[in-house]
Each structure stands twice: as structure tokens, then as C-alpha cells.
Amino acid sequence: MNGSVGPMRVLVTGGSGLVGRAIERVVKKEGEEREGEEWIFLSSKEANLMSAEETRAAFEKHHPTHVIHLAAMVGGLFRNMRQNLDFWRYNVFINDNVLQAAHEFGVVKVVSCLSTCIFPDKTTYPIDETMIHNGPPHESNFGYAFAKRMIDVQNRAYFQQYGLRYTAVIPTNVFGPHDNFNIDDGHVLPGLIHKTYLAKKEGKPLQVWGSGRALRQFIYSLDLARLFLWVLREYDEVEPIILSGTRDVFDIVFLVGNGKADGQFKKTASNAKLRKYLPDFKFTPFRAAVKETCDWFVANYDAARK
């Protein structure tokens, strides 16, 4: 079973964001759209998914058979630290509205997007899919992390009660074209790209926040998009799956310390389950992915989110 019921009408929430734009590029420009598939990319301008009424109206309008659920309130470390309550409430509302509307409108399959920040702060490494609920997440972003964990709880409950094949993916830190390059509230890599751009333009030293000890794994948004298509079409488990490249390629270190918080020290995730299914999947080399992202940011500086 691959969640297919003949023609697929796929609704992508968060369709104008980093991952949504990557999926749109892979589907529309790289020729990955299959015969019998129709793709709708829904932005927040078209529907406020915090509203149950607007969410139902979007499902009534588009009548999807499948959903890729990307919409979320997201932000970098420092915004999470300031707004844990907002991250909890906004995301719980969005996720419940989307999953319940999917159920009410007979959606065959939903693939939601989680994050490695959902894993326990105190754990063993590498982390894997069985460890999500083994302890509390890091205190810096507990609101967002617990809200995302609840998607896994809901998926299991929809399967237990209704037999629905709703599932989720857990990517490591995503980056790529159309990212949020805000220095204060964005994620680490787009923030570094923007800082480097300004330092070079203004002829000033580059200052990198953090202690120099924290580690992160990354996945290029276009690689993630290609994996999303595989999960939607082929992955049959309700249990989530980590989407990550190899540790050796994707770990980097914050380079310079200046007293700023690190957040969770590391979140090194195992991709053993992914490799069991797709042993030959080729990730974009990290340096090439960073260069493509930098080139896009420079070429689209005025329009880029920042």
C-alpha cells in the first residue's frame, strides 16, 4: 500500500515556505510530477490554519486526497526562547485543525513535518525514531517541540481509532533557497549566510554567535523535497522516519563564541531507517548545497525573507 487511490490531489500546507517551495520546484520544474497527480500549494495568505473554519473551507475548496503538512509557526533559537507559549499554542491549533479536517474530508494520507528538536535533551546518540517520547526536550524550545511531538501522538490515535495512514518525517536542520535569512530570528545557517554577506559588503569582521561547541546536522531543502515525494507515495508506516544525510558530511560547529546561547548541544540523528528503505539515495554534497543557497540569496537579496 502506498496511500494511492488512483488520481492524487495533493494539498501542501505552508506551500510558500522553504520546504514548500522546494517541493514545488522538484514537482513542477524537475519533472517529478506523475500522471494523475495534481498539486496545490497553499499559503497563509489563502487560509489561516489557526482557524478551524478557514481550514475546513480550504479543504472544502480543494478536496485533497493527500496532504503534505508543512505549515507551522517557526523560528530560530532566540525567538523560541522568547515565545515558547506562542509556539505551543499556534502549532497545536494548526496541527489539530489540519489533521481533523483531513479526517473529515476523507484524506487518504497525511505526511507532516516534525523536527529533531522534538527529541529528549538528555539522551544517547545517535537518536532514532523510537526515542521521541523518552524525556522532555531542551528547555529553549519546549513549546514548539511538544507541539510537534503531539502530531506523532495524533497520527497514532487516528490509526488506532480510524485506521488512517497519517505519518510524519523528522528532518534535521533544513536550509536552501527561500529560507528565512533573518539574523535574529532565523535558523543558524541562513543567519550565517546573511551575516557573511553583510560582513563582506561592509568590510567588517564576521562575528558568529555561540560557544564553539554546539553541533548540528543539515539537509538541503531540495533533497528533503525529493524524500517527501517518496514518503507520500511509498512509505507505509504510521511511525515517523528521520530524514538526514550522513553525520560526517552534515555536522558543523559554531565557530566563534561571544556569550550567546547554544541551545541543545547536539541532536545527532541516525538515518539507518531511511537507508534501509533507500540505500542508494544520493544527497547533494554539503558544500554544493551551501553554494547554491548563497548564490540564490545574493541573486534574490531584495526579495528574500530577512
Side-chain angles (χ1 to χ4, degrees):
M1 185 264 189
N2 64 3
S4 195
V5 286
M8 287 173 54
R9 190 172 174 85
V10 186
L11 178 68
V12 181
T13 71
S16 62
L18 166 63
V19 182
R21 295 294 290 269
I23 294 174
E24 185 175 22
R25 173 173 157 181
V26 168
V27 168
K28 301 294 186 182
K29 296 183 179 180
E30 296 186 4
E32 290 298 322
E33 184 173 13
R34 294 181 178 177
E35 186 177 355
E37 291 180 354
E38 181 180 357
W39 290 78
I40 303 111
F41 294 86
L42 187 73
S43 74
S44 58
K45 294 179 180 178
E46 298 170 85
N48 174 13
L49 300 181
M50 284 190 62
S51 161
E53 291 74 19
E54 290 194 35
T55 305
R56 289 193 189 96
F59 277 72
E60 177 68 38
K61 177 180 178 180
H62 296 294
H63 286 284
T65 62
H66 294 66
V67 171
I68 292 179
H69 175 38
L70 307 174
M73 178 183 180
V74 298
L77 171 63
F78 300 108
R79 188 179 179 200
N80 271 274
M81 292 172 68
R82 294 193 308 268
Q83 296 177 254
N84 265 298
L85 177 61
D86 293 340
F87 277 95
W88 161 259
R89 296 186 70 246
Y90 282 41
N91 286 301
V92 164
F93 285 138
I94 290 170
N95 298 335
D96 186 58
N97 288 339
V98 169
L99 291 174
Q100 182 60 22
H103 168 52
E104 291 176 3
F105 283 86
V107 170
V108 173
K109 187 171 184 178
V110 179
V111 182
S112 298
C113 192
L114 309 185
S115 164
T116 50
C117 75
I118 69 176
F119 285 99
D121 181 34
K122 309 300 181 185
T123 189
T124 56
Y125 296 96
I127 50 183
D128 64 41
E129 293 86 352
T130 68
M131 302 162 70
I132 294 173
H133 303 286
N134 286 359
H138 193 270
E139 63 179 9
S140 62
N141 61 355
F142 67 87
Y144 179 81
F146 275 122
K148 284 293 189 178
R149 278 192 194 185
M150 290 305 102
I151 291 179
D152 179 55
V153 173
Q154 285 184 267
N155 286 343
R156 293 169 187 268
Y158 276 114
F159 179 70
Q160 181 192 62
Q161 194 161 335
Y162 298 109
L164 297 174
R165 293 281 179 174
Y166 296 174
T167 191
V169 302
I170 311 173
T172 50
N173 288 42
V174 189
F175 72 95
H178 302 283
D179 209 336
N180 178 2
F181 294 85
N182 185 284
I183 291 173
D184 294 319
D185 291 335
H187 290 105
V188 55
L189 201 50
L192 282 173
I193 290 171
H194 193 181
K195 278 190 167 191
T196 304
Y197 174 88
L198 292 177
K200 182 178 180 180
K201 180 180 179 181
E202 297 168 2
K204 295 180 179 179
L206 174 64
Q207 184 182 60
V208 182
W209 295 343
S211 68
R213 297 190 304 272
L215 299 173
R216 292 294 181 266
Q217 286 174 295
F218 295 93
I219 184 169
Y220 189 35
S221 59
L222 293 173
D223 290 338
L224 179 58
R226 297 176 187 110
L227 289 170
F228 252 111
L229 298 190
W230 168 76
V231 172
L232 183 72
R233 294 164 175 163
E234 306 294 340
Y235 181 70
D236 194 37
E237 297 186 36
V238 174
E239 289 74 19
I241 184 168
I242 291 170
L243 303 182
S244 168
T246 61
R247 179 181 177 186
D248 292 341
V249 175
F250 286 87
D251 274 359
I252 71 163
V253 182
F254 288 28
L255 302 176
V256 180
N258 65 347
K260 291 282 188 178
D262 283 330
Q264 193 168 358
F265 171 61
K266 68 176 182 176
K267 300 179 282 187
T268 308
S270 168
N271 69 354
K273 184 175 181 178
L274 173 64
R275 283 307 188 191
K276 181 186 75 172
Y277 280 105
L278 296 176
D280 299 323
F281 183 85
K282 288 181 170 52
F283 288 91
T284 305
F286 184 64
R287 289 181 180 273
V290 171
K291 184 180 186 306
E292 289 177 17
T293 305
C294 291
D295 290 345
W296 182 90
F297 179 66
V298 172
N300 296 274
Y301 183 78
D302 290 339
R305 288 186 294 162
K306 58 187 184 300

